[in-house]
Amino acid sequence: MNPVTNVSFDDTAVAFSSKSDAELYKMYLLFKSMNSNKFVKLGGNLLNTAIKLHLPVKFIIKPTIFNHFCGGETIEESERAIRELAKYNIGTILDYSVEGEGVDRSFDETRDEILRTVERALGNKHIPFSVFKVTGLMRTDLLEKVQAGEKMTADEQAAFERGRQRVNDICKRCYEADVRVFVDAEESWFQETIDNLAYEMMELYNKKKAIVYNTYQLYRHDRLDALVRDYENAVAKDYILGAKPVRGAYMEKERKRAEEQGYPSPINPTKEASDKLYNDGLRFCIDHIDRISLCAGTHNEDSCYLLMEMMDEKGIAPNDERVFFAQLYGMSDNLSYNLANAGYNVAKYVPYGPVESVMPYLLRRANENTAIAGQSSREFGLISKEMERRKTVKRF
């Protein structure tokens, strides 16, 4: 039990309070499977092959891994997850997880779907954020060209401007609807272009409060410097910086590309270095809370405890709107439910979209759970512990 906060992330009674015995057992089987690297790799390859061959695998995927990590195929189907989380004072971040097809029609459809999430969030305290990826709204090669300072053709420049307008369409509507929105972080070779679009939107819409939040992947060794720079820029231009620090999602891809192209990897050399940088990022945000609104995207218990302790030291109330915690739906319920139970602002990323289209996301989740040191084992251990606790309670 943490002496400052009286929150224990080992409290499985709170962590799994929303789950029936049958649902808990289903989770037990899922995480038992995901505990095996071989099973995840083999299963992922088989599912990818089945989808490419248009084999009927949806009836297997949807009631299992899809239902655990996703809200549904549509916003309407995701209502169950929204209600379930709201019952325990946990917000929903509707995350349209379909990867675009790289053409204007597809980009427009994605923008329109993100705008639907904004309308669903309008006036609803249980949906505190929307979210989008810039690569869902414009071509990746254009973002890369801008970052590299390469000359674009007139057609490319026009396509980039259409993408920028889609970004503005979303952020402007969020401002009008008073709905906060995350700009997701992506690969380093075009992240700077995404950053600049986010700052442009913040300068327009974050004058009175944080509406637009940029995402900082602190497994990159340069991201704390970027956070400090962005704070100074916000002060100079008189707006509130919206910051969502995360550890990061593209480590293997980043290292491989750096090696192949012969430049220094942007990734910290060790996990400990990433952990330190992440926690230093939290400290910086809390030290400058007058100008920064923070959403800590983390599944790390130590980082959560640190943030709670700093809030306590600075006299920041658990429910202060400037500080949120966020985790992924289907993961780390021991963090989300215990934090919410103690009165902190918590939200879950709830992905949704057609099963086949969301498969790349689901396979990343499964691989991350096995790749993150001990993540699946930790989840599996907590579930096992709660099953034993319930058996003991029933005996007495």
Side-chain angles (χ1 to χ4, degrees):
M1 188 73 73
N2 185 281
V4 176
T5 60
N6 286 331
V7 174
S8 169
F9 295 136
D10 289 321
D11 188 338
T12 58
V14 172
F16 301 111
S17 51
S18 68
K19 305 298 180 191
S20 67
D21 289 352
E23 288 168 331
L24 194 65
Y25 184 63
K26 191 174 171 185
M27 285 175 69
Y28 172 86
L29 294 176
L30 180 66
F31 278 96
K32 187 176 182 182
S33 302
M34 284 168 49
N35 242 344
S36 163
N37 280 314
K38 283 184 182 174
F39 180 85
V40 169
K41 276 192 175 168
L42 178 63
N45 291 336
L46 287 172
L47 285 175
N48 271 329
T49 303
I51 287 166
K52 281 175 188 169
L53 295 173
H54 303 289
L55 298 176
V57 292
K58 181 175 172 178
F59 76 98
I60 298 170
I61 299 166
K62 189 165 183 181
T64 54
I65 187 170
F66 181 89
N67 271 356
H68 185 76
F69 290 112
C70 299
E73 295 195 77
T74 62
I75 293 175
E76 291 70 30
E77 274 191 22
S78 302
E79 292 294 337
R80 172 190 59 82
I82 296 168
R83 286 193 304 271
E84 169 207 308
L85 293 169
K87 211 185 298 180
Y88 296 89
N89 295 315
I90 298 171
T92 291
I93 304 160
L94 286 167
D95 182 12
Y96 183 55
S97 295
V98 175
E99 300 187 351
E101 295 168 15
V103 295
D104 275 342
R105 175 189 53 76
S106 171
F107 294 140
D108 287 342
E109 286 172 359
T110 298
R111 174 204 56 204
D112 294 345
E113 186 62 30
I114 305 300
L115 288 171
R116 278 191 277 276
T117 71
V118 178
E119 297 311 313
R120 182 63 189 84
L122 177 61
N124 189 331
K125 67 177 183 177
H126 299 304
I127 310 178
F129 298 93
S130 285
V131 61
F132 67 90
K133 281 185 184 294
V134 171
T135 52
L137 304 172
M138 70 171 82
R139 283 164 30 207
T140 305
D141 65 306
L142 301 178
L143 296 166
E144 287 187 58
K145 276 197 165 187
V146 170
Q147 182 155 320
E150 292 177 20
K151 188 170 172 57
M152 292 198 287
T153 66
D155 283 350
E156 286 174 332
Q157 188 61 49
F160 181 77
E161 291 306 322
R162 288 195 297 276
R164 174 189 266 145
Q165 185 58 51
R166 292 183 193 104
V167 170
N168 187 57
D169 290 344
I170 292 168
C171 293
K172 184 182 181 199
R173 182 61 192 129
C174 285
Y175 173 76
E176 293 166 348
D178 196 23
V179 172
R180 289 160 290 201
V181 63
F182 296 133
V183 181
D184 263 352
E186 303 193 53
E187 288 87 343
S188 62
W189 48 96
F190 52 87
Q191 181 60 47
E192 190 181 305
T193 316
I194 293 171
D195 289 345
N196 289 333
L197 287 167
Y199 310 144
E200 187 183 326
M201 296 300 112
M202 285 189 208
E203 194 175 348
L204 286 171
Y205 303 120
N206 284 17
K207 290 294 187 185
K208 292 180 181 174
K209 63 181 280 190
I211 292 293
V212 180
Y213 286 63
N214 198 25
T215 304
Y216 296 85
Q217 299 192 104
L218 285 153
Y219 68 174
R220 282 181 55 179
H221 54 69
D222 62 341
R223 289 296 87 186
L224 180 56
D225 292 339
L227 179 62
V228 174
R229 176 203 66 201
D230 297 346
Y231 164 76
E232 290 168 353
N233 192 50
V235 171
K237 297 190 174 178
D238 193 29
Y239 62 80
I240 309 296
L241 177 66
K244 182 180 66 128
V246 299
R247 275 171 170 77
Y250 304 99
M251 187 162 59
E252 289 176 17
K253 194 175 183 182
E254 290 278 3
R255 282 182 174 149
K256 186 179 177 190
R257 186 179 191 267
E259 191 178 328
E260 286 173 354
Q261 299 198 10
Y263 61 84
S265 170
I267 306 300
N268 284 310
T270 63
K271 181 184 183 300
E272 290 73 26
S274 290
D275 289 342
K276 182 183 182 305
L277 209 62
Y278 187 89
N279 291 340
D280 287 347
L282 293 184
R283 286 188 188 93
F284 183 83
C285 290
I286 291 297
D287 284 344
H288 299 87
I289 198 68
D290 59 322
R291 181 67 67 167
I292 299 177
S293 285
L294 165 70
C295 179
T298 182
H299 291 229
N300 185 286
E301 296 178 12
D302 291 339
S303 293
C304 289
Y305 278 134
L306 175 67
L307 181 50
M308 288 187 286
E309 286 164 3
M310 288 190 295
M311 290 173 71
D312 186 69
E313 286 165 11
K314 297 274 186 183
I316 301 168
N319 64 350
D320 190 306
E321 281 292 301
R322 295 171 298 176
V323 183
F324 265 80
F325 294 79
Q327 286 83 39
L328 296 166
Y329 187 65
M331 289 173 64
S332 297
D333 285 348
N334 65 313
L335 302 185
S336 308
Y337 282 79
N338 278 295
L339 284 165
N341 188 57
Y344 291 90
N345 296 318
V346 183
K348 286 276 204 186
Y349 261 70
V350 178
Y352 74 95
V355 171
E356 296 82 357
S357 303
V358 177
M359 275 312 298
Y361 170 87
L362 290 173
L363 293 174
R364 276 200 300 275
R365 285 289 79 83
N367 284 319
E368 278 172 22
N369 266 283
T370 53
I372 296 169
Q375 180 67 42
S376 273
S377 296
R378 174 67 169 147
E379 300 269 2
F380 182 62
L382 289 165
I383 293 163
S384 302
K385 180 184 172 185
E386 175 59 10
M387 288 172 72
E388 283 304 312
R389 188 196 69 81
R390 291 187 186 187
K391 280 182 197 170
T392 304
V393 169
K394 282 173 186 170
R395 269 191 228 117
F396 292 96

